[in-house]
Amino acid sequence: MPLRGISVSAAPGILAGIEARIEALELQEIATPVTPMALYVAARAEHCLFTGLLTGHGYDAKTGARLLLLATRTAALCEWLSGCLGEEARAERYALAGIRAATAAGSRRHVASCMTALAFRHLVAGDPKDMLSLVHAIQAIVPRLPAGLAVTLHTREAQALARLGDLTASTRALDRATSTLAAKAADADPAADLLSVNVDEEWLAVSSGTAWLHLGRPKKALPHFTTLLDNGPASRRARPSLGDPPAKAAAGHPPR
């Protein structure tokens, strides 16, 4: 259906259809045998579509906020998939695009989620000290983080501290993640908490194991990875754990 000249506000069915496609992509990205490249191409197409809708079409304030939040979600998809493909610079650009869209929409939770993604990019390919600065900024933006996002942030903080060799602070961050996980079910909002859809005990175990590896304690790390040896579909753990080399291998994607 051609979109040129259409008022998006006057055609709500268009957004409903696009949103359904995004939800399908998010599910595919979490648990699928489809390659990251194929998913990235689809997610990039959706993101470009939203860029066009935001810059070249008419809409009211409510529709504009909805468009911006959907653009945030497509940016988050493109960010993660770019990271899976080893394109760290591109992944960071998409994380920044998500932050800008979420800020324009006025959603602090979405901003915090995208900033957590940006922090992870610094953990993977940058300076862990920069990652810790972003953690502190996120906590200032949303002092009471949703439980799932808080668990994600605590584990990433633990991994950054581990890379810096701070055993005590890293284990304390892991303890905070463990104590916070119990509250996740009552506080979950998958639409806002873009990075914590699959945050559970298995996710925390793998993330904790990665922190112990960074600390140079492989024997301490090994028990945390036994969850990857079960008979369940490893791909369903792809999104929340793919930044960790052991989980990447289990999910069929090579570690960076």
Side-chain angles (χ1 to χ4, degrees), residues 47-66:
H47 189 69
C48 290
L49 175 59
F50 279 113
T51 301
L53 289 174
L54 283 164
T55 58
H57 297 272
Y59 47 82
D60 55 30
K62 182 179 179 180
T63 302
R66 185 180 178 189

Side-chain angles (χ1 to χ4, degrees), residues 1-14:
M1 178 180 181
L3 295 177
R4 188 180 301 279
I6 291 178
S7 169
V8 181
S9 301
I14 293 176

Side-chain angles (χ1 to χ4, degrees), residues 28 31-36 39 235 251 253:
Q28 285 283 310
T32 181
V34 180
T35 65
L39 290 173
S235 60
H253 301 302

Side-chain angles (χ1 to χ4, degrees), residues 184-229:
K184 177 182 180 291
D187 195 31
D189 182 1
D193 307 333
L194 305 174
L195 296 179
S196 53
V197 175
N198 272 14
V199 172
D200 56 17
E201 290 182 358
E202 292 183 6
W203 187 93
L204 180 57
V206 173
S207 297
S208 299
T210 302
W212 285 110
L213 283 178
H214 288 318
L215 286 165
R217 305 279 291 275
K219 291 184 179 179
K220 184 78 172 178
L222 184 59
H224 294 282
F225 296 123
T226 56
T227 182
L228 299 178
L229 303 178

Side-chain angles (χ1 to χ4, degrees), residues 165-179:
D166 193 332
L167 172 62
T168 300
S170 179
T171 53
R172 285 176 179 169
L174 289 176
D175 287 342
R176 290 195 294 273
T178 301
S179 62

Side-chain angles (χ1 to χ4, degrees), residues 108-116 134-154 157 180 183-184 187-188 192-193 196:
R108 290 190 176 189
R109 283 179 73 154
H110 282 81
V111 170
S113 183
C114 291
M115 286 186 67
T116 301
L134 285 166
V135 168
H136 298 151
I138 293 164
Q139 292 168 337
I141 292 171
V142 185
R144 294 179 60 85
L145 287 167
L149 187 56
V151 173
T152 304
L153 203 62
H154 290 320
E157 180 182 13
T180 304
K184 177 182 180 291
D187 195 31
D193 307 333
S196 53

